Amino acid sequence: MKIHTMDESDISRAAILEREAFSEPWSEDAFRDSLKLESSIFFAAEAEGMLLGYAGAYLILDEADITNVVVAPEWRRRGVASELLEALLAEAKSRGAKAATLEVRKSNAAAIALYEKKGFVSAGIRKRFYRCPTEDAVIMWNQAL
């Protein structure tokens, strides 16, 4: 598996993963617009020409706001998300981030466990944050980058 900075060649494959993972997926144009922003950090994981997953964040002052960590269903629980998250946090830190935050579905126990393993702690709940289906989000912070 190779982790690399996400670029234009990854967008269509990332959009497919996005549609498989989320009820309100980003469009290819949303990815394209995000990759152009100086404040964005996006990484892709690839093996044998296949996109295994991707992760993205925006830098806001000295904080990284993680938007998505997505792994193809057949590659989950194989360390892909962990490596993507490590790359994302390392790059954010190298750009001056001192903390990182994200929201995750309250029912997503596997993701919450991964984030906790990476130093994130729960900091509250955003009621009805997600739609389709409606669900609360756990707000998580890692303040030790």
Side-chain angles (χ1 to χ4, degrees):
M1 174 174 58
K2 177 186 170 197
I3 305 289
H4 65 271
T5 301
M6 195 170 168
D7 62 29
E8 178 75 28
S9 69
D10 299 306
I11 290 175
S12 63
R13 297 178 299 165
I16 291 168
L17 288 181
E18 183 81 3
R19 286 190 298 272
E20 292 173 352
F22 298 113
S23 58
E24 297 182 75
W26 285 23
S27 67
E28 288 188 27
D29 285 341
F31 278 108
R32 207 167 276 110
D33 291 345
S34 291
L35 291 178
K36 291 176 188 174
L37 297 173
E38 191 174 313
S39 64
S40 73
I41 304 170
F42 280 81
F43 285 100
E46 192 170 354
E48 300 173 15
M50 180 178 157
L51 185 69
L52 311 180
Y54 65 90
Y58 296 112
L59 290 177
I60 303 166
L61 301 174
D62 63 352
E63 296 173 358
D65 182 11
I66 298 172
T67 58
N68 291 339
V69 178
V70 179
V71 175
E74 64 274 21
W75 284 89
R76 292 181 185 155
R77 306 200 65 80
R78 296 168 83 178
V80 176
S82 181
E83 289 196 35
L84 284 165
L85 192 55
E86 285 178 20
L88 199 63
L89 294 174
E91 179 64 18
K93 183 177 181 176
S94 78
R95 292 197 202 178
K98 294 179 173 63
T101 187
L102 56 83
E103 290 91 9
V104 58
R105 281 186 182 272
K106 192 174 178 181
S107 65
N108 194 342
I112 291 169
L114 170 65
Y115 299 140
E116 288 174 342
K117 192 183 280 188
K118 298 298 180 187
F120 285 80
V121 296
S122 175
I125 300 290
R126 290 197 199 281
K127 294 284 185 190
R128 301 164 44 138
F129 182 77
Y130 293 102
R131 297 179 299 200
C132 303
T134 300
E135 186 174 352
D136 295 346
V138 178
I139 305 163
M140 301 189 81
W141 280 91
N142 179 330
Q143 297 192 9
L145 294 189

